[in-house]
Amino acid sequence: MEKLTRNEIDYNLTTLKGWKVEDDGIVKDFVFKDFKEALSIINAIGVVAEELNHHPEFYNVYNKLDIRLSTHDVGGVTLKDFELAHEIEEICNK
Amino acid sequence: MEKLTRNEIDYNLTTLKGWKVEDDGIVKDFVFKDFKEALSIINAIGVVAEELNHHPEFYNVYNKLDIRLSTHDVGGVTLKDFELAHEIEEICNK
């Protein structure tokens, strides 16, 4: 997987809603109804993350879930992060 | 629940292994075998958190799980945080 340039990242971000660049990753902060919902979303994303063998950074407290995607091997953002971001959007918009 | 003084926090910390004070909370960083194990620990802690109606801050990436406990209502650490910390230890040492 190749590290994307800033232009490539910006282009790919246009295909997503609410995601932005932060340092060497892409991030989005979600707010759910309660802890139970946040946890069930984490679990659903976990299944996809295992399938893709690509794991998000989760920061959760109660109903809040901040997600950060980055490809640590290359120290930046790759298409793998966008693939996972799209899967996350699908899970959260169900 | 009353906010504990620094002395009271330090005293309570002697009953736990690997926890320390950080800002207005107590924290411990865990490392598990893999993502699956980290996630199952998050879920087990989630059950207890719901029972206690007191939720940790989780930061997870792959097999790493950083936990921070704080009682937001009082802006500090209370006995509720220590109760949860003990439950977390029990879960992680199973």
Side-chain angles (χ1 to χ4, degrees), chain A residues 3-15:
Chain A
K3 185 172 161 171
L4 299 177
T5 65
R6 179 62 198 246
N7 273 352
E8 288 168 330
I9 294 170
D10 285 341
Y11 174 76
N12 277 283
L13 279 174
T14 63
T15 64

Side-chain angles (χ1 to χ4, degrees), chain A residues 35 43 55 57-60, chain B residues 35 43 55 57-60:
Chain A
F35 177 68
N43 279 292
H55 299 80
E57 291 171 44
F58 289 120
Y59 172 76
N60 159 255
Chain B
F35 176 67
N43 280 295
H55 298 81
E57 292 171 42
F58 289 121
Y59 172 76
N60 159 255

Side-chain angles (χ1 to χ4, degrees), chain B residues 73-84:
Chain B
D73 293 351
V74 304
V77 179
T78 65
L79 287 178
K80 217 160 186 183
D81 296 305
F82 282 102
E83 190 180 355
L84 184 51

Side-chain angles (χ1 to χ4, degrees), chain A residues 13-70:
Chain A
L13 279 174
T14 63
T15 64
L16 286 165
K17 237 182 157 173
W19 290 81
K20 61 178 189 203
V21 186
E22 207 181 85
D23 303 321
D24 55 355
I26 55 171
V27 300
K28 184 170 175 180
D29 299 347
F30 293 87
V31 179
F32 300 104
K33 202 183 64 182
D34 52 23
F35 177 68
K36 242 186 191 131
E37 193 176 309
L39 197 54
S40 93
I41 292 284
I42 290 173
N43 279 292
I45 295 172
V47 173
V48 176
E50 286 283 277
E51 280 169 11
L52 297 176
N53 192 25
H54 192 59
H55 299 80
E57 291 171 44
F58 289 120
Y59 172 76
N60 159 255
V61 56
Y62 196 59
N63 64 334
K64 284 186 231 151
L65 179 62
D66 301 349
I67 298 180
R68 191 170 175 281
L69 306 178
S70 176

Side-chain angles (χ1 to χ4, degrees), chain B residues 45-82:
Chain B
I45 295 171
V47 172
V48 176
E50 286 283 277
E51 279 169 12
L52 296 176
N53 194 25
H54 192 58
H55 298 81
E57 292 171 42
F58 289 121
Y59 172 76
N60 159 255
V61 56
Y62 196 60
N63 64 333
K64 283 186 232 152
L65 178 63
D66 301 349
I67 298 182
R68 190 171 176 281
L69 306 178
S70 177
T71 305
H72 302 111
D73 293 351
V74 304
V77 179
T78 65
L79 287 178
K80 217 160 186 183
D81 296 305
F82 282 102

